[in-house]
Amino acid sequence: MRTPFVVGNWKLNKTISDALALVTELKNQLAAIKGVAVGVAPPFTAIAAVAKRLEGSPIATCAQDCYWEANGAWTGEVSAPLLADAGATWAIVGHSERRQYFGDTNEGVGKKARAAIAAGLGAIVCVGESLAERDGGKTLEVVDAQLAGALGAGLDAGKLVIAYEPVWAIGTGRTATPAQAQEVHAHIRKRLGEKLGAAAAAGIRIQYGGSVKPQNAEALMAEPDIDGALVGGASLEAGDFVAIVKAARGPSALAHAKGLG
Ligand code: PGA
């Protein structure tokens, strides 16, 4: 009942022409894909060109961040309405690299999520613990604080996606096991239910992120509360990303592929 959502987070990679080459390949290779939603998050400089190239394709253009003010004297920032104007339909907020290197706080991430949704974008809110926090038994506590910051008043659950990304798994080649990820995903869904109601929580997609590869994608996404992936390194090239998207297809897509539905 939840359509999995696989998003490629390109981080600080790709010129406009490199970005266009990759999305053209993705658009062709994924033209007939069913049962999974797909997005790419280029750097800000390539968003408008990518969104234009993806016109007529179900692949969504996402931003890697957004600021919560709409406009004004905020040198260097990009707001949600400007991203929507450039053709983005989603914004990732609270990525661990933003939290770790650029000072994003739980409260700021909540403001960004609400600003994205107010501008008509969907918000992908990232949460996840560091290795020290996991080793210290604090994983669920950290995720709770991050969720509490993000899930304030005025949030439209229909536009919300959560990405659980253990920091120790990002870019390290170390992935959470499906069971480790499922434990946290189930906890997140429980908390979403307490804050937004059980029906809303049942409909919210929770992506896993952190060294997702074609080799581990299927096992991760077979878990009941893992509804897609936020993919960094393996999204920079079409072959691996397409393989991950295919691994995420829901049961209706598989039936369709087999000619059963
Ligand atoms: P990774 O990055 O797939 O390269 O680990 C994931 C992310 O940071 O979103």
Side-chain angles (χ1 to χ4, degrees):
M1 99 203 127
R2 292 184 295 269
T3 303
F5 189 21
V6 177
V7 172
N9 172 14
W10 297 355
K11 308 190 179 182
L12 208 174
N13 293 291
K14 301 209 180 280
T15 61
I16 294 172
S17 66
D18 291 344
L20 288 175
L22 177 52
V23 284
T24 304
E25 254 190 274
L26 294 177
K27 188 174 170 176
N28 293 336
Q29 292 193 35
L30 296 172
I33 196 89
K34 296 259 182 341
V36 53
V38 182
V40 292
F44 288 138
T45 47
I47 284 180
V50 163
K52 191 158 178 24
R53 180 64 56 91
L54 288 175
E55 273 171 13
S57 154
I59 302 173
T61 306
C62 313
Q64 297 175 19
D65 192 19
C66 74
Y67 192 51
W68 58 76
E69 295 290 347
N71 45 49
W74 306 104
T75 303
E77 291 296 326
V78 179
S79 70
L82 295 191
L83 293 167
D85 181 52
T89 51
W90 289 86
I92 299 168
V93 295
H95 189 279
S96 70
E97 286 149 19
R98 301 291 326 164
R99 296 176 186 267
Q100 204 175 336
Y101 306 122
F102 303 99
D104 281 21
T105 63
N106 292 339
E107 291 63 36
V109 171
K111 283 158 88 172
K112 289 179 173 189
R114 280 190 293 284
I117 291 172
L121 305 175
I124 300 173
V125 175
C126 303
V127 299
E129 80 289 1
S130 67
L131 187 57
E133 288 161 346
R134 173 159 284 263
D135 289 346
K138 294 203 158 66
T139 297
L140 300 183
E141 199 182 303
V142 168
V143 167
D144 280 349
Q146 292 169 334
L147 284 176
L151 301 178
L155 205 67
D156 174 354
K159 296 261 188 174
L160 179 68
V161 165
I162 306 291
Y164 169 58
E165 300 202 297
V167 178
W168 48 273
I170 294 177
T172 58
R174 237 183 111 181
T175 326
T177 64
Q180 280 175 321
Q182 168 58 26
E183 184 198 1
V184 182
H185 281 233
H187 177 82
I188 291 171
R189 200 174 305 285
K190 191 176 98 196
R191 285 285 182 260
L192 291 172
E194 290 161 9
K195 287 181 197 287
L196 304 169
I204 294 176
R205 286 163 303 180
I206 307 175
Q207 299 172 318
Y208 170 79
S211 297
V212 176
K213 305 271 180 282
Q215 297 79 354
N216 57 30
E218 199 167 343
L220 284 161
M221 289 187 270
E223 293 293 335
D225 288 296
I226 301 185
D227 311 310
L230 186 54
V231 186
S235 72
L236 294 176
E237 181 259 307
D240 278 359
F241 188 63
V242 166
I244 292 168
V245 169
K246 289 185 173 163
R249 284 183 300 188
S252 61
L254 291 176
H256 183 87
K258 290 177 185 147
L260 303 173

